[in-house]
C-alpha cells in the first residue's frame, strides 16, 4: 500500500490528493489533483488563470524547478486603451495598492504547467487526476471561516465585477459566510473540457480565443501570439 501525506489550504483539496494516492497515483499525480481541487475550494488563492512553480524531486533522483509563472505580454498598448484600475487593500494597520482589470492580466501559466508536469512525471490518466475537482465544481463547496476571511480581505478585487459579486456575495449583497456555498459558474465545464482536450484548448482553442477577444475589445494586453508562445521552463534549483 502506497503511503503519503497531503497538506493543503482546504480539507477538500487535501482529500483530492489523498484520493489519488489511494488510487495508485504518485506524488505528482496527487499534487496536481490537489491543485485542481484548490481552484474550486480556494478561489481567493488559486486559479487555472494564474501561474506558479513546482519544485520536484523524482524517484530517479532528479531535482527540477518547473517554472510556469505568468509571463509579461509582448505588445504594449496606449494607457488610455487599457482597463487598468487601482484598488487599496487594508492589512490590519497597513494598506497596499493593487491594480485590477484586463490591463493587469499576464499570460497564464498554470494550465501549461499542469499538463507539462503530468506528461513528464505523472502516472495516472489526467481525467482521473481531475475527477475529484470536477466532482467539487459540479455543486460548489461550502465556505470555510479561513476562506471567508480571505474574501473579506480581497473584497475590493473579488467583488469589483458583477461576476465576482455573484460568486462571493449573497442575495443581500454581503460577503458569504459559512456554511454558504462558493460556486463558480462554468468552472466545471472548463475543467472537464481541459481534462479531455489538454492545454491546447486553453492556449489556442476556445478558452484562449475568448481571453484574447476580451483583451482586444475591453482593454487588455494578451494576444493570440502570447498564448501560443507560452512555454514551461525547467530550471536548476539553487542548492546550499
Amino acid at each position: 500500500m502506497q503511503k503519503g501525506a497531503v497538506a493543503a489550504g482546504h480539507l477538500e483539496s487535501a482529500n483530492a490528493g489523498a484520493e489519488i494516492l489511494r488510487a495508485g497515483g504518485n506524488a505528482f499525480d496527487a499534487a496536481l489533483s490537489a491543485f485542481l481541487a484548490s481552484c474550486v475550494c480556494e478561489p481567493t488563492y488559486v486559479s487555472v488563470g494564474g501561474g506558479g512553480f513546482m519544485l520536484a524531486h523524482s524517484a530517479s533522483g532528479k531535482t527540477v524547478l518547473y517554472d510556469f509563472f505568468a509571463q509579461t505580454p509582448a505588445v504594449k498598448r496606449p494607457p488610455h486603451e487599457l482597463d487598468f484600475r487601482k484598488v487599496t487593500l487594508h492589512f490590519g494597520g497597513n494598506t497596499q495598492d493593487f491594480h485590477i482589470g484586463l490591463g493587469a492580466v499576464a499570460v497564464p501559466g498554470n494550465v501549461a504547467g499542469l499538463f507539462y508536469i503530468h506528461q513528464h512525471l505523472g502516472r495516472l490518466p489526467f481525467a482521473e487526476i481531475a475527477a475529484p475537482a470536477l466532482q467539487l465544481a459540479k455543486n460548489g463547496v461550502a465556505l470555510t471561516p479561513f476562506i471567508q476571511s480571505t474574501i473579506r480581505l480581497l473584497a475590493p478585487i473579488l467583488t469589483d465585477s458583477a461576476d465576482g459579486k455573484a460568486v462571493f456575495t449573497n442575495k443581500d449583497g454581503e460577503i458569504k459566510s459559512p456554511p454558504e456555498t462558493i460556486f463558480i459558474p462554468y468552472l466545471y465545464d472548463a475543467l472537464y473540457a481541459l481534462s479531455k482536450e489538454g492545454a491546447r484548448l486553453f492556449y489556442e482553442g476556445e478558452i484562449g480565443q475568448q481571453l484574447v477577444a476580451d483583451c482586444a475589445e475591453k482593454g487588455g494586453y494578451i494576444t493570440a501570439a502570447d498564448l501560443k508562445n507560452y512555454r514551461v521552463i525547467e530550471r536548476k534549483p539553487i542548492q546550499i
Side-chain angles (χ1 to χ4, degrees), residues 1-3 15-27 29-30 33 123-125 127-132:
M1 178 180 177
Q2 188 157 320
K3 296 181 180 180
N15 285 342
E19 180 179 331
I20 293 302
L21 288 178
R22 287 192 292 268
N26 62 21
D29 294 327
S33 186
R123 178 186 296 165
L124 298 180
E128 187 171 347
I129 290 169

Side-chain angles (χ1 to χ4, degrees), residues 193 197 200-212:
E197 300 183 41
R200 186 180 179 86
L201 172 69
F202 190 92
Y203 291 94
E204 298 182 47
E206 184 179 354
I207 295 175
Q209 291 167 9
Q210 185 64 60
L211 175 58
V212 169

Side-chain angles (χ1 to χ4, degrees), residues 26-45:
N26 62 21
F28 303 105
D29 294 327
L32 296 180
S33 186
F35 169 81
L36 286 167
S38 70
C39 292
V40 184
C41 303
E42 304 165 64
T44 53
Y45 285 111

